[in-house]
Amino acid sequence: LLINAFFTELDEWRTIQWQSDPMFRNVKSFEISSEGVEEFRFLLQGPAGAGKSSIINTIKTVFEGHHYINCLTASALTGDSFTTKVSKFTIGQFAFYDMMGLEQGEYKGVHPDDIISAVKGHVPEDYIFKPNAPIDKFNTEYINEPTLNSQIHCLVSVIPADKITMIEDDVIDKMKNIRKAASEIGIPQVLFMTRVDQVCKMTQRDITKIYQSKKIKEKIDECSNRLGVPLNCIFPVKNYSEENKPNEKLNCLMLEALTQIVYSANDYLKKNSKKNSNTEKKLEVVSC
């Protein structure tokens, strides 16, 4: 009875297709609905060691069909960021931007203003962060007039399920301020909750039980409450860590999350392409 109580199962509160092939074909063949935009651009933000780089490794593994570890990662939420600059990783038609993690303290980790500038397209690739001096329009590397093709199309927040309770309010506040700034310019946002196997033994043994796990549901609720992210925009995922071979069920979780950010980014591009088109038409009328 105690064992049953510990591994409490709920009625399945979200469904997922546990066959990776159709999900993979769907996302790989997805066409961008905006002329002139060459790739979907996603920026990952979150605490240092939350699993941002590992998410890129995992998605790369899904696409390559073999274990991929070229994107260097930190081993745990140590409080020190492993990534020190804007790093771009292209996977098919998807571009993922990895950045220095957020840390407690005013001059530690990436400055929130740098992430906001990156979302707007002002920060170039390989820009090296200076926690005490965020990039601004007076910086020679600053991109003054970013195009839709150079802006971020979806902001992906990353939170580790087993550390959410311990993340300092200061870091959470930084993430919320970044989300607020992204909302003000209409950038869609999704949250990936990593390390789900570390908070639920039932899920660790059988990942297909993830949407029946009371513990996982509690952690998703906690993420929603602390960051203000709607529940249907939070996706629990497991990154490749101990595994050295592809795992179909693990792939399915990541493909579900990836599909959501692709659709969100595409909706954003369609909306803003229409705005740009209408602006151009008005300018033509004025010119005439």
Side-chain angles (χ1 to χ4, degrees):
L1 291 175
L2 287 175
I3 293 176
N4 289 336
F6 186 74
F7 299 120
T8 303
E9 288 189 28
L10 303 174
D11 291 335
E12 193 171 39
W13 42 275
R14 188 183 291 176
T15 58
I16 178 174
Q17 181 179 5
W18 292 109
Q19 293 181 326
S20 60
D21 285 348
M23 298 173 74
F24 179 68
R25 287 195 300 268
N26 177 57
V27 74
K28 188 176 183 180
S29 63
F30 199 93
E31 295 184 1
I32 300 173
S33 297
S34 177
E35 292 185 11
V37 176
E38 301 170 355
E39 59 192 6
F40 290 111
R41 296 163 62 93
F42 308 106
L43 187 144
L44 282 65
Q45 70 130 350
K52 299 183 296 297
S53 300
S54 293
I55 284 172
I56 297 171
N57 280 343
T58 298
I59 294 173
K60 187 74 171 177
T61 296
V62 173
F63 274 71
E64 296 290 339
H66 62 82
H67 195 43
Y68 186 84
I69 55 173
N70 284 6
C71 178
L72 299 176
T73 63
S75 60
L77 190 66
T78 59
D80 297 314
S81 184
F82 196 87
T83 305
T84 58
K85 62 181 182 179
V86 178
S87 299
K88 177 183 178 181
F89 298 88
T90 301
I91 306 171
Q93 61 180 336
F94 311 124
F96 292 88
Y97 289 81
D98 193 15
M99 301 183 67
M100 176 186 285
L102 293 160
E103 300 177 31
Q104 184 178 21
E106 186 176 359
Y107 300 119
K108 292 199 66 178
V110 65
H111 196 287
D113 287 349
D114 275 334
I115 297 183
I116 294 169
S117 292
V119 168
K120 295 178 179 179
H122 297 301
V123 181
E125 290 175 36
D126 296 325
Y127 176 77
I128 297 176
F129 299 110
K130 304 172 184 66
N132 61 341
I135 193 170
D136 58 28
K137 62 183 180 180
F138 301 107
N139 189 305
T140 55
E141 295 186 71
Y142 188 84
I143 300 172
N144 284 296
E145 297 182 1
T147 64
L148 188 58
N149 193 48
S150 62
Q151 297 168 9
I152 294 302
H153 308 140
C154 182
L155 176 66
V156 181
S157 299
V158 182
I159 289 287
D162 60 330
K163 304 291 185 180
I164 177 63
T165 302
M166 295 179 282
I167 296 174
E168 299 87 354
D169 289 340
D170 179 36
V171 174
I172 293 294
D173 287 342
K174 288 179 180 180
M175 293 184 71
K176 289 170 74 173
N177 288 335
I178 293 164
R179 290 191 64 249
K180 180 180 178 181
S183 296
E184 288 174 351
I185 56 175
I187 302 292
Q189 301 166 45
V190 172
L191 186 147
F192 286 7
M193 189 177 77
T194 59
R195 297 173 60 85
V196 293
D197 55 315
Q198 299 301 307
V199 298
C200 177
K201 294 293 183 182
M202 179 177 72
T203 299
Q204 189 178 64
R205 291 200 305 264
D206 182 1
I207 204 166
T208 65
K209 298 285 188 181
I210 193 164
Y211 289 128
Q212 293 173 265
S213 167
K214 181 179 179 181
K215 192 67 177 178
I216 297 298
K217 184 66 169 64
E218 289 174 350
K219 290 298 180 180
I220 287 178
D221 288 341
E222 187 173 1
C223 280
S224 178
N225 291 334
R226 292 202 70 187
L227 280 163
V229 179
L231 292 173
N232 62 354
C233 293
I234 300 176
F235 291 84
V237 296
K238 182 186 182 313
N239 288 319
Y240 280 98
S241 53
E242 299 174 353
E243 302 84 357
N244 60 5
K245 294 181 180 179
N247 179 304
E248 182 178 26
K249 306 308 180 187
L250 187 157
N251 289 354
C252 286
L253 268 187
M254 185 57 73
L255 282 167
E256 180 195 34
L258 176 60
T259 299
Q260 181 58 52
I261 63 173
V262 168
Y263 277 111
S264 296
N266 197 55
D267 288 343
Y268 172 76
L269 287 172
K270 284 194 293 186
K271 179 179 178 181
N272 284 274
S273 293
K274 289 178 181 178
K275 284 183 180 179
N276 291 345
S277 176
N278 291 335
T279 300
E280 290 173 1
K281 288 179 181 178
K282 289 179 181 178
L283 289 173
E284 289 176 4
V285 171
V286 171
S287 301
C288 295

